[in-house]
Amino acid sequence: MWDRHEWQARGECWLWCGRDDVEVTWIGPVRSSGMHASLYACRACLYELDQRVLETNIRQDTGTLPMNRGPVQSRV
């Protein structure tokens, strides 16, 4: 799994841990509030992300996760 990523020796993880000065890899672009940035993750957070994606796909394959939830309606 790790062979497909190019790792930078030092950087800031933008995912859950938020650590700085760790080995990171670029995982894609992110857009927020109309602005763009590069998204970097450390090995631990990338592993967690991969596990969440895998779990979601397994649930979808077994039908335990709703496939089409539709929009959330406000009660205000």
Side-chain angles (χ1 to χ4, degrees), residues 38-52:
S38 294
L39 184 61
Y40 290 89
C42 69
R43 289 180 187 269
C45 288
L46 182 57
Y47 177 80
E48 177 65 28
L49 179 63
D50 285 343
Q51 294 304 303
R52 290 180 185 207

Side-chain angles (χ1 to χ4, degrees), residues 5-35:
H5 297 283
E6 291 184 27
W7 294 91
Q8 296 181 10
R10 298 283 181 258
E12 179 183 0
C13 179
W14 280 36
L15 291 181
W16 297 280
C17 75
R19 293 181 299 163
D20 196 8
D21 201 30
V22 294
E23 189 177 39
V24 294
T25 190
W26 180 80
I27 60 171
V30 63
R31 186 172 76 176
S32 178
S33 301
M35 297 178 283

